[in-house]
Amino acid sequence: MAPVNVTVTGAAGQIGYALLFRIASGALLGPDTKVNLRLLEIPAAVKAAEGTAMELDDCAFPLLAGIEVTDDAKKAFDGANVALLVGARPRTKGMERGDLLEANGGIFKPQGEAINAGAASDIKVLVVGNPANTNALIAQQHAPDVPAGRFTAMTRLDHNRALSQLATKLGVTVEDIKKLTIWGNHSATQYPDVFHAEVNGKNAAELVNDEAWLADSFIPTVAKRGAAIIEARGASSAASAANAAIDHVHDWVLGTPAGDWTSMAIPSDGSYGVPEGIISSFPVTCADGEYSIVQGLEVNEFSRARIDASVAELVEERDAVKGLGLI
Ligand code: NDP
């Protein structure tokens, strides 16, 4: 089988450094799939990315068929089967939201165009760089020949954080928990939902039996975990974000386990009252390289209000990038 072409943007960044070695070791696509890595960076960071490429060479990974480093998006995405869009413009002090969206439009528009022009027909895109959901929308809107559903954004880190918090609360392991969901935006408004989650077959919300804990402790802890890590570590989360990116693509390509689901931000088809087209997180199962939204879940009042708030934020972001002429 020909190697799979995996493009990583922002390859010289923190997350890139935690991500690339795991992709090359087989964690992304399994132990039988060779990969070609394409590392895209801005010109100023190409040298650092070349350094990382040297280290990748020095690992002598049997599954790593080749590495290319470039600052040319067209080259980076040519023939790409999987694209991990990690590089983004971080919010700096005093920056207005419009400036942030505009700066990211300048990154994700040309990347969408390059994906449209040259990526392989089975391209799967995961956006990690923030604001991830809206950056994914911008790239998608500039890739009209690629099926819209191939553009996704990462809420898997939020999902994994929620699993870990719930496991600690109930004194179980993460493996005991199934069917947890992150809804909405990868932002402080995200909604981690335990009402359909099962812990060794029992309903998680019933086991918790404490709505105040959900509202005042669990949800804010998951949503603000990134800030807590910056506070403790003096740097933003990187290895856990890279791990979640691996989990997202791994499950999309290789499938979710039977009897469970995961969370992915994907273009809404209107399910659960989420306006069609916005890239919002849903409970999904994956099989044969395709995801599908888990249907028929009852959404109680507690959940409805929180899903609606996060979705409203996504609609606002979409309208803002529309207003700026970015989509
Ligand atoms: P990181 O590698 O730490 O982060 C990259 C992006 O991931 C940021 O937008 C960050 O958003 C986002 N992110 C999403 N989820 C998380 C999470 N849970 N925890 C932390 N970050 C998260 O940034 P660096 O500054 O170290 O590296 C960025 C690299 O991207 C640089 O090397 C830069 O040169 C490059 N770049 C490349 C571009 C390109 O290839 N065209 C374009 C722009 C930049 P946030 O910080 O808001 O949380």
Side-chain angles (χ1 to χ4, degrees):
M1 207 171 68
V4 174
N5 295 324
V6 179
T7 303
V8 178
T9 76
Q14 277 210 90
I15 295 176
Y17 194 72
L19 185 61
L20 292 166
F21 297 86
R22 295 194 58 207
I23 297 174
S25 73
L28 188 76
L29 300 172
D32 303 319
T33 305
K34 288 196 188 273
V35 293
N36 275 319
L37 278 173
R38 308 275 185 69
L39 314 188
L40 180 67
E41 257 301 349
I42 55 174
V46 162
K47 192 162 176 228
E50 281 169 355
T52 305
M54 287 160 72
E55 279 202 82
L56 283 159
D57 280 340
D58 295 350
C59 292
F61 286 118
L63 293 176
L64 184 56
I67 317 175
E68 257 178 72
V69 181
T70 179
D71 61 3
D72 178 346
K74 288 254 155 38
K75 268 194 205 150
F77 293 111
D78 188 38
N81 305 104
V82 174
L84 295 151
L85 309 189
V86 180
R89 175 74 161 79
R91 189 191 285 267
T92 39
K93 231 180 162 187
M95 199 176 193
E96 297 292 331
R97 194 178 65 156
D99 299 335
L100 180 72
L101 292 173
E102 192 132 35
N104 279 302
I107 296 166
F108 288 88
K109 178 173 179 260
Q111 291 186 358
E113 288 166 350
I115 288 169
N116 197 55
S121 60
D122 66 346
I123 178 72
K124 289 180 166 62
V125 181
L126 167 63
V127 177
V128 175
N130 280 316
N133 302 52
T134 297
N135 288 341
L137 184 68
I138 295 171
Q140 179 212 59
Q141 293 295 305
H142 294 281
D145 304 328
V146 175
R150 302 289 183 75
F151 286 84
T152 68
M154 188 167 91
T155 49
R156 185 60 176 264
L157 180 55
D158 310 305
H159 182 100
N160 289 345
R161 285 168 169 167
L163 279 177
S164 165
Q165 293 299 322
L166 186 62
T168 304
K169 167 76 175 172
L170 295 176
V172 298
T173 69
V174 287
E175 254 191 337
D176 296 324
I177 305 175
K178 311 269 183 262
K179 301 183 179 175
L180 193 137
T181 306
I182 304 291
W183 298 91
N185 198 1
H186 168 67
S187 77
T189 67
Q190 65 173 273
Y191 171 49
D193 175 0
V194 303
F195 286 99
H196 305 100
E198 292 168 4
V199 180
N200 294 319
K202 295 199 183 96
N203 182 273
E206 282 167 24
L207 288 174
V208 169
N209 193 25
D210 183 352
E211 212 166 273
W213 178 78
L214 288 179
D216 303 332
S217 178
F218 174 71
I219 296 171
T221 299
V222 172
K224 295 180 192 156
R225 184 73 164 175
I229 286 170
I230 293 175
E231 172 70 23
R233 209 182 151 244
S236 62
S237 43
S240 54
N243 178 67
I246 298 262
D247 284 351
H248 176 117
V249 173
H250 178 276
D251 287 359
W252 188 359
V253 174
L254 297 168
T256 43
D260 200 1
W261 67 60
T262 188
S263 305
M264 289 168 70
I266 56 172
S268 175
D269 62 357
S271 294
Y272 296 103
V274 179
E276 214 173 318
I278 62 167
I279 298 191
S280 188
S281 188
F282 286 97
V284 299
T285 55
C286 305
D288 304 320
E290 308 277 347
Y291 57 75
S292 5
I293 297 177
V294 176
Q295 294 296 344
L297 301 177
E298 222 174 275
V299 175
N300 63 19
E301 247 175 73
F302 183 95
S303 298
R304 188 75 258 166
R306 288 167 173 80
I307 295 170
D308 288 350
S310 196
V311 164
E313 183 184 52
L314 283 169
V315 168
E316 240 179 67
E317 287 183 18
R318 181 204 55 197
D319 292 347
V321 292
K322 239 190 203 162
L324 289 164
L326 298 173
I327 60 171

